Amino acid sequence: MYRQLAGGGHYYRIDSSHAFHELQRIGSRLVHHAVHAEAYPEKLRIAEMIACAEGRYAPFDGAEWEALFRTIR
């Protein structure tokens, strides 16, 4: 499952209710973060991403996420 933060710049690949990967655009480069949720706020954030809560997150194309991910390797 893939999501994008409204307004762009942050792209997510949600692996489970406890883990996701984030690509964060900083200037012209992308930074990769792997997050394994242990604390409640992190788990809540993943649930919000899955639900596209409050319009903060939007579905994102998986092929596009993978293409972005390949550019940082």
Side-chain angles (χ1 to χ4, degrees), residues 47-61:
E48 289 174 348
M49 284 192 275
I50 291 170
C52 293
E54 300 176 15
R56 291 188 62 205
Y57 301 97
F60 191 67
D61 181 61

Side-chain angles (χ1 to χ4, degrees), residues 17-40:
S17 62
H18 294 89
F20 68 92
H21 290 262
E22 175 183 10
L23 298 177
Q24 178 184 16
R25 186 168 298 284
I26 300 175
S28 62
R29 66 187 186 107
L30 288 169
V31 177
H32 174 250
H33 305 279
V35 178
H36 299 281
E38 295 179 19
Y40 177 74

Side-chain angles (χ1 to χ4, degrees), residues 52-72:
C52 293
E54 300 176 15
R56 291 188 62 205
Y57 301 97
F60 191 67
D61 181 61
E64 199 170 339
W65 194 95
E66 295 297 336
L68 288 171
F69 186 67
R70 281 192 300 274
T71 67
I72 62 172

